[in-house]
Amino acid sequence: MVTCSSPKGRFKPNDLERTHGLENNLVLTRNVNRQYDDSFAVEGAKIGSTLRIRLPDRALVTDGAALQVQDDNEQFTTLTVASQKHIGVNFTSAELTMQLDDFAERVLKPRISQLASSIDNDVANAYKSIYSSVGTPGTTPSTSLVLLQGNQKLNEYASPMNDRYATVNPAANANLVEGMKGFFNPTSTIARQFTAGMMGTGVLGYDEVNMSQSIVNHTTGVTPTAPIVATTVTTQGQSTLAISFTSGSPTFKIGDVFTISGRYSVNPQTRQSTGSLQQFVVTADVTVSSATTATLSISPALYTSTNALATVDSFPTASDTLTFLGGSATAYPQNLIYHKNAITFATADLLLPQGVDMASRQVHNGISMRIVRQYDINNDRMPCRIDVLYGYSVIRPQMAVRLWG
């Protein structure tokens, strides 16, 4: 690999690492679990390569002196490294020689900032796999209560008390800072909020409450009239739900959230009811044109408290009422509250091509970036590209909450 220079500045492969721009500009993705896989470092990773992630084992606690052996119940999930994003820039030899004093500062950092925003926007779609929800759809969060309710959800699902974060859109950030300015906060916290206009760190049990312009909206499906459970559930682990309704031509969208009357969530450690209705998320789009029945794919799967993977205190029965969150066919911001280990973001090494002007690959805090530059002899130009190959997955949805706006 060649170091390219000009009279006014030098660009070396390690300038990519020196900028650290991608991580610094990430907001949501910066605080999730980041894994780096160098298994493709020699041959280069390919879109669609997968990483297998082990989930914690869960078992039932039994009473009495007699041994009751349980089979190993360790769970796995797969994360697909399926997204490749890049930014490109093209220079003439004259521009490199005469105009760019510092390639990393003037070119790499601004472009990497745009790349980071695009990645954050992609990862923000993780909300589609998250069922726990707080806030009032259509109302921008503005009080401490919604943040405390988010922590309540995490507590009910036995999430660790550390490494908790909230990422909100600009409107929610403004309302929360304004709505909580009169609280008896530590002087240092008030000073940071006043200076930066951000909620900041160490707020209401969160390591950080930050703002991201990459938070996305969810547009709900078309809600049917009087939806109910059509068939009593009897099977542990069932992840579909048959429903019926009196009228309408509904659509159910991935990410729609609903509750079932009388079916409560359970604490994963004690398997006791939390007293909060279990919320479910639709995991596959369904469109109904003429019938008055539908089958929804849902998460979490239905396990009662007699099972180690318990999610509800009892199975839904026929005629239980479904209540969908939000209005029909309406868009709502999906701010996110999450423990670090709820979402995993993984990058992999891309191939370093040979025979080019310059190629470099750097890994910083679990994020692998590649930069390649080539000389176009026909046009006396130097095209350059920066790539990231990544994937993300909500591996522990019970450790995340959607804060509706």
Side-chain angles (χ1 to χ4, degrees):
M1 290 178 287
V2 180
T3 296
C4 300
S5 63
S6 71
K8 291 191 176 184
R10 304 178 66 87
F11 172 62
K12 299 174 285 298
N14 63 5
D15 278 347
L16 181 61
E17 181 179 27
R18 181 168 60 83
T19 66
H20 293 175
L22 183 63
E23 183 193 13
N24 290 342
N25 284 282
L26 293 171
V27 180
L28 171 62
T29 311
R30 183 181 70 240
N31 292 324
V32 303
N33 187 318
R34 295 202 302 269
Q35 297 191 9
Y36 162 66
D37 190 341
D38 63 355
S39 60
F40 307 108
V42 177
E43 297 297 331
K46 298 177 176 61
I47 292 177
S49 300
T50 58
L51 306 176
R52 195 180 188 204
I53 299 173
R54 182 181 290 109
L55 300 179
D57 179 65
R58 290 176 62 181
L60 290 171
V61 176
T62 55
D63 295 323
L67 174 65
Q68 297 185 36
V69 178
Q70 300 174 54
D71 291 336
D72 176 50
N73 200 29
E74 194 169 53
Q75 306 289 304
F76 293 89
T77 189
T78 299
L79 185 155
T80 302
V81 183
S83 299
Q84 181 174 351
K85 291 186 183 294
H86 78 276
I87 52 175
V89 63
N90 202 5
F91 303 104
T92 65
S93 294
E95 288 170 336
L96 281 174
T97 302
M98 302 301 295
Q99 297 179 14
L100 295 181
D101 295 332
D102 191 322
F103 184 89
E105 289 293 328
R106 296 184 59 183
V107 179
L108 284 185
K109 278 192 173 181
R111 302 270 175 148
I112 287 175
S113 176
Q114 298 171 52
L115 180 61
S117 295
S118 179
I119 292 173
D120 251 359
N121 183 254
D122 198 7
V123 176
N125 284 288
Y127 84 84
K128 295 179 181 179
S129 300
I130 298 169
Y131 40 83
S132 292
S133 296
V134 296
T136 302
T139 301
T140 302
S142 61
T143 68
S144 62
L145 179 60
V146 289
L147 294 177
L148 294 171
Q149 288 172 332
N151 261 331
Q152 176 189 343
K153 290 288 186 183
L154 296 182
N155 292 336
E156 288 176 348
Y157 284 107
S159 298
M161 297 299 294
N162 61 333
D163 292 330
R164 294 184 176 189
Y165 301 92
T167 300
V168 301
N169 66 5
N173 177 73
N175 277 24
L176 286 168
V177 173
E178 170 65 18
M180 297 170 60
K181 66 181 181 182
F183 281 18
F184 291 101
N185 291 319
T187 302
S188 59
T189 299
I190 296 174
R192 287 196 307 268
Q193 292 174 354
F194 182 83
T195 302
M198 302 284 186
M199 288 302 298
T201 58
V203 178
L204 297 176
Y206 296 95
D207 285 25
E208 182 180 13
V209 179
N210 52 49
M211 185 277 293
S212 173
Q213 300 170 45
S214 298
I215 289 295
V216 297
N217 289 344
H218 173 66
T219 300
T220 58
V222 177
T223 308
T225 303
I228 61 172
V229 175
T231 307
T232 298
V233 176
T234 58
T235 305
Q236 297 283 358
Q238 183 170 316
S239 58
T240 58
L241 185 69
I243 68 169
S244 62
F245 41 91
T246 57
S247 62
S249 298
T251 58
F252 304 95
K253 295 296 184 181
I254 296 174
D256 284 354
V257 174
F258 66 91
T259 57
I260 303 172
S261 60
R263 309 305 155 193
Y264 294 90
S265 62
V266 297
N267 182 284
Q269 303 294 337
T270 66
R271 293 171 185 81
Q272 299 296 308
S273 171
T274 63
S276 301
L277 288 174
Q278 175 65 64
Q279 293 169 312
F280 298 90
V281 65
V282 176
T283 59
D285 289 343
V286 176
T287 299
V288 182
S289 57
S290 59
T292 57
T293 61
T295 299
L296 304 181
S297 297
I298 63 171
S299 175
L302 295 160
Y303 292 95
T304 65
S305 54
T306 61
N307 190 282
L309 302 177
T311 56
V312 289
D313 61 342
S314 60
F315 281 136
T317 59
S319 297
D320 285 351
T321 301
L322 272 66
T323 302
F324 284 84
L325 192 59
S328 180
T330 306
Y332 301 102
Q334 299 296 299
N335 307 292
L336 293 174
I337 292 169
Y338 50 97
H339 184 272
K340 178 179 181 178
N341 291 329
I343 303 169
T344 288
F345 175 85
T347 63
D349 282 342
L350 281 163
L351 176 72
L352 283 180
Q354 301 298 311
V356 296
D357 171 63
M358 186 276 298
S360 176
R361 185 172 56 220
Q362 300 290 343
V363 179
H364 180 67
N365 285 352
I367 297 176
S368 176
M369 286 186 292
R370 181 193 68 178
I371 182 169
V372 177
R373 194 170 73 181
Q374 181 61 295
Y375 178 65
D376 177 4
I377 192 172
N378 293 316
N379 300 293
D380 192 27
R381 301 189 73 86
M382 302 285 284
C384 172
R385 62 182 293 161
I386 303 167
D387 291 78
V388 179
L389 178 64
Y390 69 92
Y392 71 91
S393 179
V394 183
I395 60 173
R396 296 178 179 88
Q398 69 275 19
M399 294 167 66
V401 182
R402 293 157 63 172
L403 172 53
W404 291 58

